[in-house]
Amino acid sequence: MEQYTIGVDVGGTKIAYGLFDGEQNLVARKKVPSDPELEAGPFFDALAKDIWALIQEHNLKAEQMRGIGIGMPSYILFEEGKIIKTTNLTKIHDFPAREYLMKQLNGMRVILDNDTHVAALAEHKKGAGRGFQHMVYCAVSTGIASGIIINNQLFRGRYGWAGETGHMLITPGKGIECGCRNKGCFMSYCSGSMIVKHIRNRIAAGEQTLMTELAGSPEQITAVHIQQAFDLGDSMAKWAVEQMAQYLAVWLYNLYQVLNINCFVFGGGLVHFGDRLFPRIRELFDQYNGNDLPVYFKFAELGDNFGIIGAAELLFS
């Protein structure tokens, strides 16, 4: 009997579902809005209902399902399948999600992991990291994080959230406070959400920038406006991109020194900065590194499907 898999990619604004056949080919995909106002129980009730609907739409039965893989923007105790906290669905915390879902799904196998781990699995197996025994997936977006592949296996650490390297401290107690409740972590200097806070602070101090006009107000400035202003020669946008490059380069160099992994795959919204940002990161990294052994900087290849592909991959890893 052919065994099907469902991969679920849960985000702050949407939930994507992918149905994969026994050869791991994507045979169906659907997307629904996510509701940040739902408590954990009702949220996962709705998730289970959508999963059953997808199974029934394709005339499948529970015994034909290998299982359900779910990627979430959460700290997850992996072995227990318990969600500790979720960054942008804040009402989902301290919840035994795997146990709860298995009851809702008549005992079907369920595996949960965080979204960066899921992305790392996807890109390693089917994307830019194919063929590398070791790889670091670098999520550079609203936040900064990593997923670590060692000997072709995802490394989760003791509790399940290895790779939260954006929260490594570089200037402890100094700078802007991050959601991790510390000041001075890497994320607080170079993530998409935090660089905008630095810009707003400079505007509040009286500095001028085209970004205010482009966005309409300082509160509406996003990473897109940084790119637009950079292309127009705006000095504050150039400063912001340089700060991002400086801290991202140090972050990557530190990861390289700790892990000695030579394949970095970048995914997330900051990838759209392209040549405005990444050649400078590379230049700084090479200055710090100072040897000629190859280190590969690659961009993720799977587009919007990485979340469902990686989530389904949890059932095979």
Side-chain angles (χ1 to χ4, degrees):
M1 182 187 297
E2 187 172 18
Q3 293 285 291
Y4 289 78
T5 310
I6 290 177
V8 185
D9 177 18
V10 177
T13 59
K14 56 81 185 168
I15 305 171
Y17 299 83
L19 176 67
F20 297 82
D21 65 17
E23 300 298 318
Q24 293 180 264
N25 298 308
L26 179 62
V27 295
R29 189 182 194 278
K30 74 174 184 178
K31 186 162 62 173
V32 301
S34 55
D35 187 348
E37 298 306 313
L38 287 180
E39 301 285 344
F43 184 93
F44 285 104
D45 289 342
L47 197 77
K49 184 178 178 181
D50 287 339
I51 289 169
W52 276 123
L54 186 59
I55 291 169
Q56 291 162 1
E57 283 166 16
H58 292 83
N59 300 312
L60 299 173
K61 298 176 182 177
E63 55 266 29
Q64 292 176 269
M65 302 304 300
R66 176 185 293 271
I68 315 298
I70 302 171
M72 294 194 64
S74 307
Y75 280 76
I76 297 171
L77 283 172
F78 180 76
E79 292 180 6
E80 299 174 30
K82 181 179 180 180
I83 295 173
I84 302 301
K85 63 179 179 178
T86 306
T87 53
N88 48 12
L89 296 166
T90 56
K91 295 189 176 183
I92 302 176
H93 57 87
D94 301 309
F95 188 75
R98 185 175 68 194
E99 179 184 348
Y100 188 87
L101 275 173
M102 287 181 70
K103 288 179 181 176
Q104 300 290 85
L105 297 170
N106 292 351
M108 257 184 267
R109 189 180 179 204
V110 175
I111 303 179
L112 292 100
D113 210 336
N114 77 50
D115 50 1
T116 306
H117 286 177
V118 160
L121 281 175
E123 288 294 336
H124 180 248
K125 293 292 180 68
K126 299 187 177 181
R130 291 189 309 276
F132 287 88
Q133 185 178 1
H134 316 298
M135 183 199 90
V136 179
Y137 176 81
C138 300
V140 286
S141 190
T142 304
I144 303 291
S146 54
I148 303 165
I149 303 288
I150 298 174
N151 292 326
N152 297 315
Q153 298 291 319
L154 179 65
F155 178 72
R156 293 186 173 92
R158 172 61 185 89
Y159 299 113
W161 53 78
E164 289 291 344
T165 54
H167 296 304
M168 294 189 301
L169 295 169
I170 188 167
T171 59
K174 299 177 181 178
I176 294 176
E177 185 173 313
C178 177
C180 67
R181 299 180 182 176
N182 284 316
K183 291 182 178 180
C185 67
F186 280 98
M187 190 183 297
S188 73
Y189 285 104
C190 55
S191 71
S193 60
M194 297 301 281
I195 193 63
V196 169
K197 292 186 178 182
H198 287 273
I199 288 167
R200 289 174 186 148
N201 286 347
R202 291 174 78 106
I203 293 170
E207 294 187 40
Q208 300 297 308
T209 173
L210 292 172
M211 287 181 278
T212 306
E213 181 181 346
L214 290 168
S217 72
E219 290 69 33
Q220 293 176 288
I221 292 171
T222 68
V224 172
H225 300 116
I226 301 174
Q227 295 169 53
Q228 292 171 345
F230 182 95
D231 292 343
L232 293 169
D234 182 73
S235 59
M236 193 186 299
K238 289 185 174 181
W239 164 84
V241 171
E242 178 64 16
Q243 173 168 302
M244 293 162 71
Q246 293 277 350
Y247 284 95
L248 287 168
V250 174
W251 173 61
L252 294 166
Y253 176 71
N254 288 353
L255 288 175
Y256 180 61
Q257 289 301 314
V258 170
L259 298 169
N260 195 220
I261 292 175
N262 74 334
C263 177
F264 295 94
V265 176
F266 299 95
L270 297 190
V271 166
H272 297 300
F273 276 79
D275 287 346
R276 304 174 186 91
L277 177 62
F278 285 88
R280 179 61 173 155
I281 295 172
R282 180 85 228 198
E283 178 186 11
L284 291 165
F285 178 92
D286 289 343
Q287 285 177 16
Y288 303 143
N289 188 27
N291 67 55
D292 295 328
L293 295 172
V295 178
Y296 302 95
F297 282 17
K298 299 167 73 70
F299 292 107
E301 295 178 354
L302 298 176
D304 291 342
N305 283 337
F306 78 89
I308 55 173
I309 291 171
E313 194 64 45
L314 289 169
L315 277 299
F316 299 89
S317 62

